[in-house]
Amino acid sequence: MTPEQYVQEKAAASGSSFYYAFLFLPKPRREAITAFYAFCREVDDVVDEVTDPGIAQTKLAWWQTEVARSFEGQPQHPAMRALMPAVERYGLEQRQLQAVIEGCRMDLEQTRYLDFPALERYCHLVAGVVGEVSARIFGQVREETTAYAHKLGLAFQLTNIIRDVGEDALRGRIYLPVSELQQFDVKAHEISKRQYSDRFTALMRFQAERAHRLYDEALALLPAEDFRSQKPGLMMASIYRTLLREIEHEDFRVLHQRVSLTPLRKLWLAWKVQALGRV
């Protein structure tokens, strides 16, 4: 199996909303973003699939070394071998990939966040930087587009946190800031035991309203000159925001189930952005 085939299978198997946006890219950019996405999945899987924290730390340390080695011209892992041709072509930097690894390391060392600024730092590493790299691969020409990409990445990550509250709690992680749990008088054990309440619904509505504000702020930051090049990100925004609205429609019943969109619906939302320019 070639590195290109490896990353393609990795991306397709994930079923992620990102995959549907990639389909509309020209081949070189599609190959680059698929390789980058596969790298992100590899690193994230270390945290989600390795039960021994010590082994997970060792694996993340290996990835840090692999990234450094790759930027010196000696990639070993198929994901890095597939990604490296895009580095010079799209101006990717080692610090960006190392930041993604550092964000995943936070998942091993921290399961709670005291307030939103603390959570925001985590989101910057695992989502904002991913948005930054993606924007470059998509064909960014204006510097201001980086701020759009970071804010959109934050909105995506908050949507993920809302969707995955129940699953994350089973893994011992509650990303909702402690200060906001206290504000709405929601106890951590209620989330872990999947106990719904009007207080929990109010807390989640507060989270969703913030995510919607961030989507609006991100879209307002995108320069008109980059609208066309950044369509893949806009496709993901349409998919993720539709998912957020679906969760709201389900009255935030996220503790016992994972709300999702069908592949056909994701493809339809992506096509609408591609063909009609509607987010």
Side-chain angles (χ1 to χ4, degrees):
M1 180 184 297
T2 67
E4 291 72 25
Q5 290 170 330
Y6 178 89
V7 297
Q8 177 64 31
E9 287 192 11
K10 188 80 176 178
S14 72
S16 168
S17 303
F18 290 75
Y19 179 71
Y20 296 90
F22 301 166
L23 295 175
F24 296 90
L25 282 166
K27 188 170 184 286
R29 296 188 191 278
R30 185 172 69 248
E31 290 178 345
I33 195 65
T34 300
F36 176 62
Y37 178 75
F39 159 78
C40 293
R41 283 256 48 90
E42 290 285 352
V43 176
D44 192 55
D45 286 349
V46 170
V47 176
D48 288 343
E49 296 178 2
V50 179
T51 54
D52 186 319
I55 294 175
Q57 288 279 16
T58 300
K59 285 180 174 289
L60 288 181
W62 183 90
W63 272 106
Q64 287 178 308
T65 301
E66 170 66 3
V67 168
R69 183 168 48 223
S70 298
F71 275 79
E72 293 170 356
Q74 298 177 317
Q76 294 183 4
H77 194 279
M80 292 306 300
R81 288 168 61 195
L83 179 59
M84 291 316 292
V87 166
E88 185 172 353
R89 183 181 302 154
Y90 303 117
L92 311 188
E93 302 173 46
Q94 181 179 168
R95 66 162 180 88
Q96 296 165 325
L97 274 63
Q98 296 288 7
V100 174
I101 298 172
E102 184 57 32
C104 290
R105 187 184 300 280
M106 287 181 70
D107 271 330
L108 296 177
E109 300 170 348
Q110 189 169 349
T111 58
R112 304 291 297 276
Y113 294 87
L114 291 179
D115 52 25
F116 184 67
L119 177 63
E120 197 170 14
R121 179 179 176 273
Y122 165 77
C123 293
H124 165 75
L125 295 173
V126 299
V129 175
V130 172
E132 178 184 325
V133 172
S134 300
R136 290 190 184 184
I137 293 174
F138 295 155
Q140 170 184 352
V141 295
R142 291 289 299 274
E143 186 62 35
E144 303 93 279
T145 298
T146 299
Y148 143 84
H150 275 276
K151 187 147 290 194
L152 191 60
L154 176 58
F156 289 164
Q157 191 63 23
L158 293 183
T159 303
N160 283 338
I161 287 170
I162 292 167
R163 178 194 63 195
D164 297 339
V165 167
E167 286 184 14
D168 289 333
L170 291 177
R171 294 189 176 111
R173 300 183 199 136
I174 298 179
Y175 291 98
L176 304 174
V178 173
S179 63
E180 294 172 8
L181 290 173
Q182 293 171 341
Q183 178 183 340
F184 289 89
D185 192 28
V186 174
K187 305 297 189 291
H189 71 80
E190 294 175 327
I191 294 176
S192 299
K193 293 180 180 178
R194 300 178 173 180
Q195 295 175 355
Y196 291 101
S197 65
D198 292 341
R199 293 171 288 108
F200 174 78
T201 302
L203 169 65
M204 298 307 290
R205 188 172 294 115
F206 177 81
Q207 305 298 322
E209 288 170 356
R210 176 163 53 204
H212 278 303
R213 283 198 305 274
L214 286 163
Y215 281 112
D216 290 338
E217 291 169 9
L219 295 174
L221 287 170
L222 178 61
E225 296 92 325
D226 267 341
F227 182 86
R228 183 179 293 275
S229 72
Q230 298 304 310
K231 273 189 176 181
L234 297 173
M235 292 175 193
M236 290 184 281
S238 179
I239 293 169
Y240 267 75
R241 203 164 191 181
T242 300
L243 172 63
L244 181 58
R245 292 185 180 116
E246 194 73 20
I247 292 169
E248 290 173 303
H249 180 72
E250 295 282 332
D251 207 24
F252 301 100
R253 309 294 284 184
V254 291
L255 294 178
H256 69 292
Q257 64 180 356
R258 181 187 178 100
V259 180
S260 61
L261 305 179
T262 65
L264 185 60
R265 193 171 179 191
K266 291 178 182 179
L267 188 61
W268 166 245
L269 291 166
W271 179 85
K272 278 205 301 184
V273 174
Q274 175 66 18
L276 308 176
R278 296 177 188 169
V279 181

